[in-house]
Amino acid sequence: MCGILFALSPGGIDGLSSSFVPCVRERIRARGPDAFGKFQHEVAGWNLEYESSVLHLRGPCESPTIQPHVDDDGNVLCWNGEIWQMGGEAGFDSLQCCNENDGSKLFRILKENDEDVESVLRLIQGPFAFVYYQKSKNTLWFGRDRLGRRSLLYHQEQERFILASVSHGKEFQEVPPGFYAFNLQDNHPSTPIHPFPSAFVPFHLLPLSIEIPISSSIETPLETFYAQLSESLKDRVLTIPSSNESYNNIQQTKIITPRLAVLYSGGVDCGVIARIIHDILPPNEPIDLINVAFENPRFMDTFVNADAADCFTSIPDPYNVCPDRQTGLQGWSELMNVCPGRIWNFIAVNVPYSEALKNKDLVTSLIYPNDSIMDFSIGLAFYFASKGEGVLLQSFDDIQKNHSCSPYKTPAKVLFSGLGADEQLGGYMRHLRAFERRGMEGLDEELKLDIERIPHRNLGRDDRVMSNQGKEVRYPFLDERLMALLSKMPTSSKMRLDLVGGDKLILRELARKLQTPLVGQEKKRAIQFGSKAAKMESGTGRTSGKKKL
């Protein structure tokens, strides 16, 4: 994960002199706390300024790869992403994480394919946003992957065009998925740049044509799905540098720190991810499970009023009554039973109402240009979850003494999310409504629409919020090869919305196959409701989540 800040302006004008730039720069540095670099040059009368921060995860383990990438020929690359596969490119092995930084390797490939930059960019499988200056063509390229898994925003004034991973809260808009080209030689700096995107040549990224066998004579759709999801997770798990080891002199034992954490509600999406990660990592490595719960005064008022009416003998703990806390503890217990040799660190992130209020303005600013009440509630939940700071539960006994457990903050730089399962496997109520109205045709159209709007609804917002903690989020269900497989499977092999509990059916069957039936039976619950991050104030119970802040 990295942060990008770039400005294009006429020569002699400081493109990064706007009053909001210090705030944006601070957030760019927060995204990549391990290194920060700058580069500036003038081309054909234009001033180009690049700034980039680095969260070090790929390349030589002993030192971070400094960005921007600059070569002797004058090419420049700011890269924020991960390349899992690259269209058959020889030697691009994503699992060799310590041999070479993937941004460095891409920079070299772009130079070697100087006449066909477009084709190189189209072949990349993985999340990315980038800015690339191609010296030989005097062309500026920039953009995002086809799903928009990495944020890239633009801001335009009469004399400057700015690109950034995150904004200060206003006047920025999202760069649509795909990439764009601007020829500096053909556009004279004395003429104002036309409003984006009219002055920029667009290149739309269609779904990759990936040949994935659906099944063989000996494989069922479930087995094929399981195999491809496992491959997706191997790419994303084994490319994280190995856990650090230290020695406890008092107990005379090795201490191994977790290399990753799972955003964990106890639902089927994150539950299956955690269970398969167990099969990939060495058994002596701990795995952190992050579970967030909010003190919600409006929700707690229902218990206060009931207590006044003698319906309760005592008012319950505000965090333990959150649905996601209850299912999270249940799923954690199941994992400890099924995988007893593993240390499963359950991080109970408890957010007081006062702390949520204190961070309201910051989260509102980070989610922008998303600006609905629902965006804020989701952003608030992910903001505190990605901090990974709470109390540590490590055994069944700790459940009863929750609040007296030791404070803990995950050392993991990489978080895993189950986002993408609902969109592809019929997990939302709107999928059921579409099926009830128009049958399989209506369901298929709704599923397609969900994938098309996921960059604008979810991914850019979530990236901006969680990366502010110096964390990278990885989405195994949004692996291009897995998505290609699921798109070719018959809908009835993936879900049966004519059955009770038939949403995400193939994933629920996989949970049972992996001996985690409890998570396999959990119903869909949005994080803002499961964690009680939504509608905290009195009188907001009927407020629409689509309402603007």
mmCIF file of all heavy atoms in Angstrom, residues 250-274:
data_model
loop_
_atom_site.group_PDB
_atom_site.id
_atom_site.type_symbol
_atom_site.label_atom_id
_atom_site.label_comp_id
_atom_site.label_asym_id
_atom_site.label_seq_id
_atom_site.Cartn_x
_atom_site.Cartn_y
_atom_site.Cartn_z
ATOM 1 N N ILE A 250 11.751 -14.478 30.448
ATOM 2 C CA ILE A 250 11.125 -14.939 31.697
ATOM 3 C C ILE A 250 10.485 -16.309 31.486
ATOM 4 O O ILE A 250 10.700 -17.244 32.253
ATOM 5 C CB ILE A 250 10.073 -13.915 32.176
ATOM 6 C CG1 ILE A 250 10.772 -12.577 32.494
ATOM 7 C CG2 ILE A 250 9.318 -14.437 33.391
ATOM 8 C CD1 ILE A 250 9.814 -11.470 32.855
ATOM 9 N N GLN A 251 9.686 -16.422 30.415
ATOM 10 C CA GLN A 251 9.012 -17.693 30.154
ATOM 11 C C GLN A 251 9.863 -18.628 29.303
ATOM 12 O O GLN A 251 9.510 -19.793 29.114
ATOM 13 C CB GLN A 251 7.677 -17.433 29.452
ATOM 14 C CG GLN A 251 6.709 -16.614 30.283
ATOM 15 C CD GLN A 251 5.390 -16.380 29.551
ATOM 16 O OE1 GLN A 251 5.230 -16.757 28.398
ATOM 17 N NE2 GLN A 251 4.443 -15.767 30.239
ATOM 18 N N GLN A 252 10.984 -18.114 28.789
ATOM 19 C CA GLN A 252 11.900 -18.875 27.941
ATOM 20 C C GLN A 252 11.166 -19.519 26.763
ATOM 21 O O GLN A 252 11.255 -20.714 26.500
ATOM 22 C CB GLN A 252 12.633 -19.943 28.766
ATOM 23 C CG GLN A 252 13.549 -19.371 29.834
ATOM 24 C CD GLN A 252 14.410 -20.419 30.512
ATOM 25 O OE1 GLN A 252 14.131 -21.602 30.447
ATOM 26 N NE2 GLN A 252 15.478 -19.972 31.142
ATOM 27 N N THR A 253 10.407 -18.671 26.064
ATOM 28 C CA THR A 253 9.670 -19.130 24.886
ATOM 29 C C THR A 253 9.832 -18.116 23.757
ATOM 30 O O THR A 253 10.091 -16.929 24.000
ATOM 31 C CB THR A 253 8.166 -19.289 25.181
ATOM 32 O OG1 THR A 253 7.656 -18.034 25.677
ATOM 33 C CG2 THR A 253 7.928 -20.376 26.203
ATOM 34 N N LYS A 254 9.665 -18.609 22.527
ATOM 35 C CA LYS A 254 9.661 -17.722 21.375
ATOM 36 C C LYS A 254 8.318 -17.002 21.272
ATOM 37 O O LYS A 254 7.269 -17.593 21.536
ATOM 38 C CB LYS A 254 9.884 -18.520 20.085
ATOM 39 C CG LYS A 254 11.332 -18.873 19.805
ATOM 40 C CD LYS A 254 11.438 -19.544 18.435
ATOM 41 C CE LYS A 254 12.891 -19.896 18.126
ATOM 42 N NZ LYS A 254 12.999 -20.567 16.795
ATOM 43 N N ILE A 255 8.376 -15.737 20.902
ATOM 44 C CA ILE A 255 7.153 -14.961 20.661
ATOM 45 C C ILE A 255 7.105 -14.638 19.176
ATOM 46 O O ILE A 255 8.020 -14.009 18.640
ATOM 47 C CB ILE A 255 7.132 -13.663 21.490
ATOM 48 C CG1 ILE A 255 7.192 -13.991 22.989
ATOM 49 C CG2 ILE A 255 5.879 -12.856 21.173
ATOM 50 C CD1 ILE A 255 7.342 -12.766 23.863
ATOM 51 N N ILE A 256 6.072 -15.090 18.509
ATOM 52 C CA ILE A 256 5.906 -14.844 17.071
ATOM 53 C C ILE A 256 4.739 -13.877 16.891
ATOM 54 O O ILE A 256 3.637 -14.111 17.397
ATOM 55 C CB ILE A 256 5.641 -16.149 16.303
ATOM 56 C CG1 ILE A 256 6.787 -17.131 16.514
ATOM 57 C CG2 ILE A 256 5.444 -15.872 14.817
ATOM 58 C CD1 ILE A 256 6.577 -18.481 15.864
ATOM 59 N N THR A 257 4.978 -12.780 16.192
ATOM 60 C CA THR A 257 3.917 -11.794 15.978
ATOM 61 C C THR A 257 3.124 -12.143 14.721
ATOM 62 O O THR A 257 3.684 -12.658 13.744
ATOM 63 C CB THR A 257 4.504 -10.377 15.832
ATOM 64 O OG1 THR A 257 5.439 -10.368 14.741
ATOM 65 C CG2 THR A 257 5.209 -9.957 17.095
ATOM 66 N N PRO A 258 1.815 -11.874 14.710
ATOM 67 C CA PRO A 258 0.994 -12.186 13.537
ATOM 68 C C PRO A 258 1.406 -11.356 12.324
ATOM 69 O O PRO A 258 1.729 -10.171 12.457
ATOM 70 C CB PRO A 258 -0.417 -11.829 13.990
ATOM 71 C CG PRO A 258 -0.358 -11.802 15.485
ATOM 72 C CD PRO A 258 1.024 -11.351 15.823
ATOM 73 N N ARG A 259 1.382 -11.979 11.156
ATOM 74 C CA ARG A 259 1.688 -11.232 9.930
ATOM 75 C C ARG A 259 0.428 -10.644 9.293
ATOM 76 O O ARG A 259 0.515 -9.830 8.372
ATOM 77 C CB ARG A 259 2.417 -12.117 8.930
ATOM 78 C CG ARG A 259 1.595 -13.186 8.265
ATOM 79 C CD ARG A 259 2.310 -13.810 7.080
ATOM 80 N NE ARG A 259 3.171 -14.919 7.466
ATOM 81 C CZ ARG A 259 3.917 -15.607 6.597
ATOM 82 N NH1 ARG A 259 3.906 -15.285 5.306
ATOM 83 N NH2 ARG A 259 4.666 -16.609 7.009
ATOM 84 N N LEU A 260 -0.766 -11.071 9.751
ATOM 85 C CA LEU A 260 -2.009 -10.612 9.143
ATOM 86 C C LEU A 260 -3.121 -10.615 10.177
ATOM 87 O O LEU A 260 -3.020 -11.222 11.240
ATOM 88 C CB LEU A 260 -2.387 -11.487 7.938
ATOM 89 C CG LEU A 260 -2.620 -12.980 8.180
ATOM 90 C CD1 LEU A 260 -4.050 -13.267 8.641
ATOM 91 C CD2 LEU A 260 -2.318 -13.777 6.926
ATOM 92 N N ALA A 261 -4.205 -9.930 9.825
ATOM 93 C CA ALA A 261 -5.413 -9.917 10.653
ATOM 94 C C ALA A 261 -6.625 -10.027 9.737
ATOM 95 O O ALA A 261 -6.600 -9.575 8.590
ATOM 96 C CB ALA A 261 -5.489 -8.640 11.486
ATOM 97 N N VAL A 262 -7.685 -10.630 10.253
ATOM 98 C CA VAL A 262 -8.939 -10.779 9.515
ATOM 99 C C VAL A 262 -9.982 -9.875 10.158
ATOM 100 O O VAL A 262 -10.154 -9.883 11.388
ATOM 101 C CB VAL A 262 -9.430 -12.243 9.535
ATOM 102 C CG1 VAL A 262 -10.735 -12.379 8.737
ATOM 103 C CG2 VAL A 262 -8.369 -13.187 8.975
ATOM 104 N N LEU A 263 -10.668 -9.069 9.334
ATOM 105 C CA LEU A 263 -11.807 -8.297 9.821
ATOM 106 C C LEU A 263 -12.928 -9.294 10.073
ATOM 107 O O LEU A 263 -13.506 -9.843 9.133
ATOM 108 C CB LEU A 263 -12.205 -7.238 8.799
ATOM 109 C CG LEU A 263 -11.118 -6.203 8.469
ATOM 110 C CD1 LEU A 263 -11.544 -5.312 7.317
ATOM 111 C CD2 LEU A 263 -10.781 -5.368 9.701
ATOM 112 N N TYR A 264 -13.255 -9.530 11.336
ATOM 113 C CA TYR A 264 -13.982 -10.744 11.708
ATOM 114 C C TYR A 264 -15.270 -10.451 12.470
ATOM 115 O O TYR A 264 -15.240 -9.954 13.598
ATOM 116 C CB TYR A 264 -13.072 -11.628 12.560
ATOM 117 C CG TYR A 264 -13.593 -13.024 12.758
ATOM 118 C CD1 TYR A 264 -13.503 -13.969 11.749
ATOM 119 C CD2 TYR A 264 -14.181 -13.386 13.961
ATOM 120 C CE1 TYR A 264 -13.986 -15.258 11.926
ATOM 121 C CE2 TYR A 264 -14.669 -14.673 14.156
ATOM 122 C CZ TYR A 264 -14.561 -15.602 13.127
ATOM 123 O OH TYR A 264 -15.035 -16.869 13.306
ATOM 124 N N SER A 265 -16.392 -10.783 11.843
ATOM 125 C CA SER A 265 -17.695 -10.638 12.488
ATOM 126 C C SER A 265 -18.287 -11.979 12.887
ATOM 127 O O SER A 265 -19.331 -12.026 13.542
ATOM 128 C CB SER A 265 -18.667 -9.943 11.534
ATOM 129 O OG SER A 265 -18.912 -10.772 10.395
ATOM 130 N N GLY A 266 -17.636 -13.074 12.476
ATOM 131 C CA GLY A 266 -18.190 -14.398 12.707
ATOM 132 C C GLY A 266 -19.133 -14.841 11.620
ATOM 133 O O GLY A 266 -19.756 -15.910 11.718
ATOM 134 N N GLY A 267 -19.274 -14.045 10.554
ATOM 135 C CA GLY A 267 -20.102 -14.417 9.415
ATOM 136 C C GLY A 267 -19.408 -15.406 8.513
ATOM 137 O O GLY A 267 -18.218 -15.711 8.674
ATOM 138 N N VAL A 268 -20.133 -15.894 7.497
ATOM 139 C CA VAL A 268 -19.596 -16.957 6.653
ATOM 140 C C VAL A 268 -18.453 -16.466 5.770
ATOM 141 O O VAL A 268 -17.494 -17.218 5.519
ATOM 142 C CB VAL A 268 -20.724 -17.593 5.793
ATOM 143 C CG1 VAL A 268 -21.324 -16.596 4.814
ATOM 144 C CG2 VAL A 268 -20.225 -18.838 5.087
ATOM 145 N N ASP A 269 -18.479 -15.204 5.318
ATOM 146 C CA ASP A 269 -17.432 -14.693 4.421
ATOM 147 C C ASP A 269 -16.073 -14.677 5.129
ATOM 148 O O ASP A 269 -15.098 -15.280 4.663
ATOM 149 C CB ASP A 269 -17.769 -13.280 3.934
ATOM 150 C CG ASP A 269 -19.189 -13.148 3.417
ATOM 151 O OD1 ASP A 269 -19.793 -14.190 3.110
ATOM 152 O OD2 ASP A 269 -19.693 -12.018 3.341
ATOM 153 N N CYS A 270 -16.008 -13.956 6.248
ATOM 154 C CA CYS A 270 -14.738 -13.863 6.981
ATOM 155 C C CYS A 270 -14.394 -15.168 7.671
ATOM 156 O O CYS A 270 -13.219 -15.488 7.866
ATOM 157 C CB CYS A 270 -14.780 -12.714 7.983
ATOM 158 S SG CYS A 270 -16.096 -12.847 9.212
ATOM 159 N N GLY A 271 -15.423 -15.948 8.036
ATOM 160 C CA GLY A 271 -15.167 -17.223 8.701
ATOM 161 C C GLY A 271 -14.451 -18.212 7.803
ATOM 162 O O GLY A 271 -13.500 -18.889 8.223
ATOM 163 N N VAL A 272 -14.879 -18.308 6.542
ATOM 164 C CA VAL A 272 -14.216 -19.194 5.585
ATOM 165 C C VAL A 272 -12.810 -18.695 5.278
ATOM 166 O O VAL A 272 -11.863 -19.485 5.168
ATOM 167 C CB VAL A 272 -15.062 -19.327 4.299
ATOM 168 C CG1 VAL A 272 -14.269 -19.983 3.179
ATOM 169 C CG2 VAL A 272 -16.328 -20.138 4.580
ATOM 170 N N ILE A 273 -12.654 -17.376 5.149
ATOM 171 C CA ILE A 273 -11.321 -16.818 4.903
ATOM 172 C C ILE A 273 -10.366 -17.206 6.028
ATOM 173 O O ILE A 273 -9.252 -17.687 5.787
ATOM 174 C CB ILE A 273 -11.402 -15.284 4.760
ATOM 175 C CG1 ILE A 273 -11.997 -14.910 3.403
ATOM 176 C CG2 ILE A 273 -10.013 -14.645 4.914
ATOM 177 C CD1 ILE A 273 -12.237 -13.425 3.233
ATOM 178 N N ALA A 274 -10.783 -17.008 7.284
ATOM 179 C CA ALA A 274 -9.923 -17.336 8.418
ATOM 180 C C ALA A 274 -9.581 -18.820 8.435
ATOM 181 O O ALA A 274 -8.433 -19.208 8.697
ATOM 182 C CB ALA A 274 -10.607 -16.931 9.725
#
